[in-house]
C-alpha cells in the first residue's frame, strides 16, 4: 500500500510531477495492501491463459485451408470437447496448486524486495530486467526439463505433459502438479536475483505465458514477430520434441536454442531437418545434381567455419578486454589506492583474477596452436606386421579383425586416401584425419583431438573459474545498477560493467554444463563423437578405469595436471595417448595409459 494520502503528497515525496502512468498506478494501488497486489498474479495467469490460446482454438475449429497449411502436424486435430477438457484440467491445477503457492509465497516476495511504490520502472529497466529473467529461466529450465526426461522423472511426472504428441496452445501448462511446482523455481529465480517493480513481475509472467502458448500452438506462421528474436526456439522447434515422444533426448530448450546447440541435444532435430531437406532435393533434382550441390554446400559451410574461427578468436579477446576494463581499470584497480578495507578487497580480487587470466590465455592459445594429432605417413595396423606382409595393405580385400578378436575393423578414409587408426575421424573443416577426434571447435579455430584435448579441458576449467570470479566480483555493481541511488562512474563505464557481468554470467553457466559433460566423457574414456555414435555396451573397449582414463588425457605426472604441458616421460608415452593401435584386452590391462 502506498504511504500517501493524496496525489499531491505523492508528488511532493517523489520531488516531481508524476507521469500519466504513475498517476494511474497511484489511483489503482493507493488503497490496496501489497498482498492484494501480489494476489493479482493468479488472476493474470488465469485471464491470459484463457485469452492467449483463443485464436489458435478458433483456427483449429474452423480448419481454413489458408491457415492449416502452416500447421506443423496437419493430420492431427483436436475436437472442441477435447480442448475444453484440457482447459478445465489446467484451470483446476491453477486453482489447487498455483493459487495456494501465491498465498504462501507472499512473505518471500516481500523479503527479496519486489517493490510496489513510486516511481515506476523506466522502459530500459523493464527491458533489461525481463531479458535477465528470460536468460536465467531459460538456462535453469533447460536442465530441469532435461532431468525430467530421465527414466524416473518421465515415468513419475513429465509423462503427463507428453500426452499431447501434437501440442496445442491450451496444453502449454498442462502437466503434473509436481511439474508445475518444479518449473516455478526457474521462473521465480530471475525476479529473486534481480528484484524490480511488481509491474515488471506481472509482465514477466504474462510474457512467459504468451511464449509458452506460442511454442505449443502447433502452428509455424512465417509472419510471427517471434521469428525475429535471435536464437528463439518457436513452435516448430518445440513441436519436434513432442512429436518424437517421451524418450526424446532432443530439444530441451525452454525459450532459446543455445543450450541445445552447446550441449548437443538438438542433433536429432537437426538430423531430421537435414533428412527432410535431402528428400526435397531428391524430388526436385536428379541424384547427380543433388550430390554436386551437396558437395558445394559442404565446401561453402566448411569455408565459412574457417573464416568464423578467426572472428571467434577476436571475440574471445574482445570479451577478455571488456572484462579486464570493467574489473581492473574501472572498479577494483582504482580501489587499490583508496586504502583500508577497499584496498584489501581489491587485492583479494585482482590477484586471483590475473592468475586465472594467465592460465586461461595460456590454455586457450595452447589449444589454438597445438596440432590435435595427425595420422603418421603410411600408417599400417599392427596386424599387418604380424602377417609379415611387405606390400601395402589392400583395404578393399581386408575384412578380417585384429588378433584380439574384438571385432574392430581397419577403416579407410577416401578423402585422405589412407587408412585410419582407431578413434580417428576425418574433419571436413580442417580437411584431414584427426587422431582421437573429439570435435571441431570454432572458438579455437582447431580440432580438439588426442594432443590438445587436455589443453581444451584446462581452458574450460580456467574459463569457468575466471568468469565465476568476475560474476561474483561485479555482482554488487550489477545490483546497484537497478537501485534508485546514484552510482559513481560515467555512462560508458557503467555500461561496460553491466555488459561484462552479463557476458561472464552467461559464459560461466554455459561452460559449467560443458565442463560437466567432458568430465563424464574423460571418466569413461569416450570422445564426444563416440558418445553419439557408439551403442550401449556392457564394457566400453577403451575404458581402463577412471584413474587411468584420467591419466591418459592429463598424463601420469601430477605436477603437470593443471598446466597445458606434458612431462618428458608423458611425451615418450604419446603413442599410447594418440591411440594408434587397436586395443586388446591383455594390452589394455598392461598399458599405463
Amino acid at each position: 500500500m502506498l504511504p500517501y494520502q493524496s496525489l499531491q503528497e505523492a508528488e511532493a515525496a517523489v520531488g516531481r510531477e508524476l507521469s500519466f502512468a504513475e498517476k494511474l498506478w497511484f489511483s489503482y494501488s493507493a488503497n490496496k495492501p501489497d498482498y492484494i497486489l501480489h494476489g493479482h498474479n493468479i488472476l493474470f495467469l488465469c485471464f491470459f491463459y484463457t485469452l492467449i490460446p483463443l485464436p489458435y482454438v478458433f483456427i483449429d475449429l474452423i480448419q481454413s485451408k489458408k491457415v492449416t497449411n502452416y500447421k506443423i502436424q496437419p493430420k492431427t486435430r483436436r475436437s472442441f470437447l477435447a480442448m475444453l477438457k484440457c482447459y478445465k484440467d489446467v484451470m483446476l491445477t491453477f486453482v489447487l496448486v498455483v493459487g495456494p503457492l501465491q498465498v504462501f509465497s507472499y512473505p518471500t516476495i516481500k523479503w527479496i524486495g519486489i517493490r510496489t511504490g513510486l516511481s515506476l520502472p523506466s522502459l530500459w529497466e523493464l527491458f533489461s530486467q525481463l531479458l535477465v529473467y528470460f536468460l536465467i529461466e531459460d538456462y535453469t529450465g533447460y536442465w530441469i526439463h532435461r532431468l525430467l526426461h530421465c527414466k524416473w522423472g518421465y515415468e513419475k511426472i513429465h509423462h503427463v505433459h507428453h500426452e499431447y504428441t501434437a501440442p496445442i496452445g491450451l496444453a502449454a501448462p498442462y502437466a503434473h502438479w509436481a511439474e508445475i511446482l518444479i518449473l516455478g523455481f526457474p521462473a521465480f529465480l530471475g525476479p529473486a536475483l534481480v528484484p524490480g517493480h511488481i509491474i515488471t513481475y506481472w509482465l514477466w509472467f504474462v510474457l512467459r505465458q504468451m511464449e509458452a502458448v506460442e511454442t505449443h500452438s502447433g502452428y509455424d506462421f512465417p509472419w510471427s514477430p517471434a521469428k525475429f528474436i535471435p536464437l528463439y526456439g518457436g513452435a516448430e522447434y518445440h513441436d519436434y520434441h513432442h512429436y518424437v515422444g517421451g524418450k526424446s533426448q532432443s530439444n530441451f530448450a525452454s525459450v532459446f536454442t543455445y543450450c541445445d546447440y552447446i550441449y548437443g541435444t538438438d542433433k536429432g532435430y537437426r538430423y531430421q531437418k537435414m533428412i527432410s531437406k535431402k528428400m526435397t532435393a531428391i524430388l526436385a533434382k536428379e541424384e547427380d545434381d543433388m550430390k554436386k550441390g551437396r558437395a558445394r554446400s559442404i565446401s561453402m559451410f566448411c569455408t565459412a567455419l574457417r573464416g568464423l574461427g578467426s572472428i571467434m578468436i577476436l571475440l574471445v579477446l574482445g570479451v577478455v578486454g571488456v572484462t579486464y576494463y570493467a574489473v581492473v581499470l574501472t572498479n577494483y584497480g582504482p580501489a587499490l589506492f583508496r586504502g583500508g578495507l577497499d584496498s584489501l578487497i581489491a587485492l583479494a580480487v585482482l590477484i586471483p583474477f590475473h592468475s586465472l587470466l594467465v592460465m586461461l590465455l595460456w590454455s586457450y592459445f595452447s589449444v589454438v596452436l597445438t596440432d590435435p594429432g595427425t595420422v603418421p605417413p603410411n600408417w599400417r595396423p599392427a596386424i599387418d606386421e604380424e602377417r609379415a606382409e611387405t606390400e601395402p595393405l589392400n583395404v578393399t580385400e581386408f575384412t578380417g579383425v585384429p588378433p584380439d578378436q574384438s571385432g574392430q575393423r581397419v577403416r579407410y578414409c577416401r578423402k585422405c586416401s589412407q587408412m585410419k587408426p582407431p578413434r580417428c575421424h576425418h574433419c571436413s573443416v580442417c580437411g584431414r584425419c584427426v587422431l582421437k577426434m573429439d570435435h571441431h571447435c570454432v572458438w579455437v579455430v582447431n580440432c580438439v583431438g588426442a594432443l590438445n584435448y587436455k589443453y581444451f579441458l584446462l581452458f574450460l576449467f580456467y574459463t569457468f573459474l575466471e568468469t565465476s570470479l568476475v560474476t561474483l566480483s561485479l555482482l554488487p555493481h550489477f545490483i546497484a545498477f537497478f537501485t534508485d541511488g546514484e552510482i559513481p562512474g560515467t555512462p560508458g563505464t557503467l555500461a561496460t560493467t553491466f555488459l561484462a557481468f552479463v557476458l561472464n554470467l552467461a559464459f560461466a553457466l554455459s561452460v559449467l554444463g560443458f565442463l560437466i559433460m567432458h568430465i563424464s566423457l574423460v571418466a569413461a574414456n569416450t570422445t564426444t563423437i563416440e558418445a553419439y555414435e557408439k551403442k550401449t555396451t556392457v564394457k566400453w573397449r577403451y575404458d581402463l578405469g577412471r584413474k587411468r582414463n584420467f591419466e591418459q588425457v592429463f598424463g601420469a605426472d601430477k605436477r603437470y595436471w593443471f598446466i597445458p604441458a606434458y612431462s618428458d616421460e608423458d611425451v615418450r608415452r604419446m603413442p599410447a595417448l594418440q591411440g594408434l593401435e587397436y586395443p586388446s584386452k591383455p594390452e589394455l590391462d598392461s598399458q599405463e595409459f
Side-chain angles (χ1 to χ4, degrees):
M1 181 182 296
L2 295 178
Y4 312 119
Q5 300 298 322
S6 65
L7 186 62
Q8 291 76 16
E9 184 180 349
E11 290 179 340
V14 175
R16 58 174 173 81
E17 184 180 358
L18 299 181
S19 64
F20 177 74
E22 289 172 333
K23 290 178 181 179
L24 289 179
W25 176 248
F26 176 84
S27 61
Y28 180 76
S29 63
N31 298 319
K32 291 182 176 63
D34 286 350
Y35 69 85
I36 296 295
L37 296 176
H38 174 63
H40 285 33
N41 294 336
I42 185 64
L43 299 178
F44 289 148
L45 186 64
C46 294
F47 175 76
F48 284 98
Y49 167 69
T50 304
L51 183 65
I52 297 169
L54 283 182
Y56 300 110
V57 172
F58 293 145
I59 291 172
D60 278 335
L61 295 178
I62 296 172
Q63 289 293 305
S64 172
K65 291 184 179 180
K66 293 182 179 180
V67 180
T68 52
N69 289 334
Y70 301 107
K71 190 171 178 63
I72 302 170
Q73 298 186 47
K75 295 183 179 180
T76 59
R77 183 179 178 183
R78 298 281 178 175
S79 66
F80 175 75
L81 292 178
M83 289 189 285
L84 182 61
K85 181 181 182 303
C86 176
Y87 175 77
K88 290 180 178 179
D89 291 340
V90 172
M91 290 298 291
L92 183 63
T93 304
F94 283 171
V95 173
L96 297 181
V97 178
V98 182
L101 181 64
Q102 291 295 318
V103 175
F104 291 114
S105 64
Y106 173 70
T108 306
I109 295 296
K110 295 296 293 182
W111 176 69
I112 64 177
I114 292 181
R115 66 184 192 275
T116 59
L118 299 171
S119 302
L120 294 183
S122 64
L123 292 179
W124 164 246
E125 181 181 349
L126 276 174
F127 174 79
S128 57
Q129 288 183 331
L130 290 174
L131 178 61
V132 172
Y133 295 172
F134 267 109
L135 292 174
I136 293 175
E137 194 275 344
D138 183 74
Y139 188 83
T140 53
Y142 167 86
W143 286 106
I144 291 177
H145 189 189
R146 190 168 175 177
L147 288 174
L148 287 174
H149 272 268
C150 69
K151 183 178 180 181
W152 186 91
Y154 184 81
E155 291 179 353
K156 300 297 183 181
I157 299 175
H158 194 52
H159 72 279
V160 177
H161 184 66
H162 275 271
E163 291 177 7
Y164 287 85
T165 55
I168 58 176
L170 288 168
Y174 179 82
H176 192 281
W177 63 268
E179 182 172 348
I180 298 293
L181 293 178
I182 293 172
L183 292 180
F185 171 75
F188 182 73
L189 185 58
L193 294 177
V194 187
H197 199 276
I198 197 169
I199 290 180
T200 309
Y201 189 64
W202 291 345
L203 186 58
W204 155 239
F205 283 101
V206 171
L207 290 175
R208 190 64 184 88
Q209 186 70 23
M210 292 175 62
E211 186 277 332
V213 170
E214 194 272 336
T215 54
H216 288 81
S217 65
Y219 289 89
D220 186 32
F221 296 117
W223 58 79
S224 173
K227 287 187 174 291
F228 297 97
I229 302 175
L231 302 176
Y232 180 68
E236 190 266 345
Y237 187 84
H238 190 70
D239 197 278
Y240 174 82
H241 177 78
H242 280 262
Y243 175 75
V244 294
K247 295 182 179 180
S248 167
Q249 293 299 315
S250 181
N251 294 22
F252 297 112
S254 179
V255 180
F256 306 107
T257 61
Y258 70 93
C259 283
D260 279 317
Y261 179 77
I262 290 174
Y263 303 118
T265 47
D266 63 345
K267 290 185 180 292
Y269 168 76
R270 284 191 280 150
Y271 178 77
Q272 186 264 350
K273 295 284 289 183
M274 180 184 67
I275 293 300
S276 299
K277 290 180 180 179
K278 285 184 178 180
M279 294 301 295
T280 304
I282 290 174
L283 294 175
K285 297 181 179 180
E286 293 293 331
E287 185 175 356
D288 292 340
D289 293 336
M290 184 197 70
K291 289 181 179 178
K292 292 179 182 179
R294 181 175 59 187
R296 286 195 300 270
S297 298
I298 293 175
S299 177
M300 292 175 60
F301 177 71
C302 294
T303 303
L305 280 183
R306 295 188 194 104
L308 179 62
S310 302
I311 298 174
M312 297 307 284
I313 291 181
L314 296 177
L315 179 60
V316 170
L317 296 178
V319 173
V320 171
V322 170
T323 302
Y324 194 88
Y325 180 83
V327 175
V328 179
L329 301 181
T330 302
N331 294 296
Y332 288 96
L336 279 175
F337 304 98
R338 295 175 189 164
L341 183 60
D342 289 344
S343 296
L344 291 177
I345 294 175
L347 202 62
V349 171
L350 293 178
I351 291 177
F353 173 83
H354 284 90
S355 302
L356 292 174
L357 182 60
V358 170
M359 297 306 299
L360 185 157
L361 293 176
W362 184 10
S363 302
Y364 178 71
F365 284 105
S366 295
V367 185
V368 174
L369 301 175
T370 302
D371 190 303
T374 305
V375 180
N378 302 320
W379 177 85
R380 290 150 61 93
I383 188 174
D384 189 28
E385 298 176 0
E386 294 182 7
R387 287 182 172 186
E389 296 180 355
T390 57
E391 298 295 327
L393 190 65
N394 189 329
V395 179
T396 305
E397 296 179 358
F398 179 76
T399 56
V401 296
D404 62 356
Q405 301 298 317
S406 62
Q408 179 71 50
R409 298 180 183 274
V410 175
R411 299 174 302 147
Y412 186 80
C413 179
R414 298 181 183 275
K415 297 179 180 178
C416 297
S417 299
Q418 65 179 14
M419 287 175 285
K420 295 196 294 187
R423 318 187 80 177
C424 177
H425 294 271
H426 183 87
C427 176
S428 298
V429 181
C430 297
R432 61 192 176 98
C433 288
V434 177
L435 295 175
K436 197 181 177 184
M437 178 178 174
D438 189 88
H439 68 287
H440 182 89
C441 182
V442 296
W443 289 90
V444 300
V445 208
N446 200 1
C447 273
V448 177
L451 302 185
N452 63 355
Y453 188 39
K454 171 187 176 180
Y455 309 154
F456 177 74
L457 294 178
L458 290 176
F459 168 60
L460 292 181
F461 176 68
Y462 289 120
T463 299
F464 171 69
L465 294 181
E466 178 78 338
T467 53
S468 299
L469 174 65
V470 172
T471 301
L472 293 175
S473 61
L474 293 183
L475 181 60
H477 305 278
F478 180 75
I479 294 175
F481 185 81
F482 295 100
T483 61
D484 296 330
E486 293 186 2
I487 307 175
T490 65
T493 58
L494 294 178
T496 305
T497 300
F498 182 88
L499 179 62
F501 176 84
V502 173
L503 286 175
N504 280 271
L505 176 62
F507 274 104
L509 295 175
S510 300
V511 170
L512 174 61
F514 209 33
L515 187 61
I516 292 173
M517 181 188 76
H518 277 280
I519 290 174
S520 65
L521 293 178
V522 171
N525 203 343
T526 309
T527 65
T528 300
I529 294 177
E530 291 167 346
Y532 285 105
E533 285 184 349
K534 73 175 184 177
K535 297 181 180 179
T536 303
T537 57
V538 177
K539 178 67 176 177
W540 174 232
R541 58 186 290 108
Y542 298 104
D543 189 358
L544 308 177
R546 293 182 179 178
K547 181 177 182 294
R548 291 161 70 186
N549 291 342
F550 177 85
E551 291 179 347
Q552 192 179 64
V553 176
F554 286 86
D557 195 334
K558 298 180 181 179
R559 296 173 299 174
Y560 288 81
W561 280 359
F562 292 99
I563 62 173
Y566 287 101
S567 66
D568 293 339
E569 183 66 24
D570 289 333
V571 170
R572 285 194 290 269
R573 296 169 178 169
M574 275 300 170
L577 177 66
Q578 296 174 19
L580 290 172
E581 298 180 357
Y582 289 95
S584 62
K585 186 63 178 176
E587 290 174 356
L588 288 181
D589 290 339
S590 62
Q591 287 177 350
E592 291 190 36
F593 279 98

